Amino acid sequence: MWIWFALLSAVFAALTSILAKIGIEGVDSTLATAIRTAVVLVMAWGIVFLTGKQHGIADIGPRSWLFLALSGLATGASWLFYYRALQLGEASKVAPIDKLSVVLTMILAFVILHETITVKGIIGGALIAAGTLILIL
């Protein structure tokens, strides 16, 4: 089932880039990011309340709060830089560079989370990196 969610994530991420590139025309990238974030915030909390998951807030421990907050800060920084890059560059070049996050995630998962690294992972990561380089040249 996870693969369907991952594929839908890819579809919506692609739409995000295209819709953002169109919407950001003539709009400050920071303001555009704030508008996008407000929409995401309303949508996410709406889903929490529609599914009745708000009761789980009390069960979240301090460590989880810390790392979720840090993740939120990283997301915010990523979105700010992404929107600025979209404003200045072509979506077809910005998006592949942004997807280098896959390779960086693999490396960080190995270093920080001590996840195993496989030959398949190394080859796949190298191909992603090479593909990105080819796309942006």
Side-chain angles (χ1 to χ4, degrees), residues 12-29:
F12 284 106
L15 283 172
T16 297
S17 298
I18 300 306
L19 296 171
K21 182 66 177 176
I22 295 167
I24 204 166
E25 190 175 319
V27 178
D28 175 75
S29 62

Side-chain angles (χ1 to χ4, degrees), residues 3 31 63 66 72 82 86 88 91 95 104 107 109 111 116 119 121 128-129:
I3 197 156
L31 178 59
R63 184 175 191 269
L66 172 65
Y82 185 74
L86 267 181
L88 298 173
L104 296 173
I107 294 167
V111 172
T116 57
V119 172
I128 291 169

Side-chain angles (χ1 to χ4, degrees), residues 4-73:
W4 293 109
F5 289 114
L7 288 170
L8 286 170
S9 173
V11 168
F12 284 106
L15 283 172
T16 297
S17 298
I18 300 306
L19 296 171
K21 182 66 177 176
I22 295 167
I24 204 166
E25 190 175 319
V27 178
D28 175 75
S29 62
T30 305
L31 178 59
T33 303
I35 292 168
R36 172 190 181 186
T37 303
V39 171
V40 171
L41 181 70
V42 169
M43 185 179 125
W45 279 108
I47 292 170
V48 166
F49 283 101
L50 282 173
T51 58
K53 304 293 184 187
Q54 69 274 14
H55 304 294
I57 293 173
D59 299 328
I60 299 173
R63 184 175 191 269
S64 290
W65 275 109
L66 172 65
F67 282 95
L68 289 171
L70 291 172
S71 174
L73 291 172

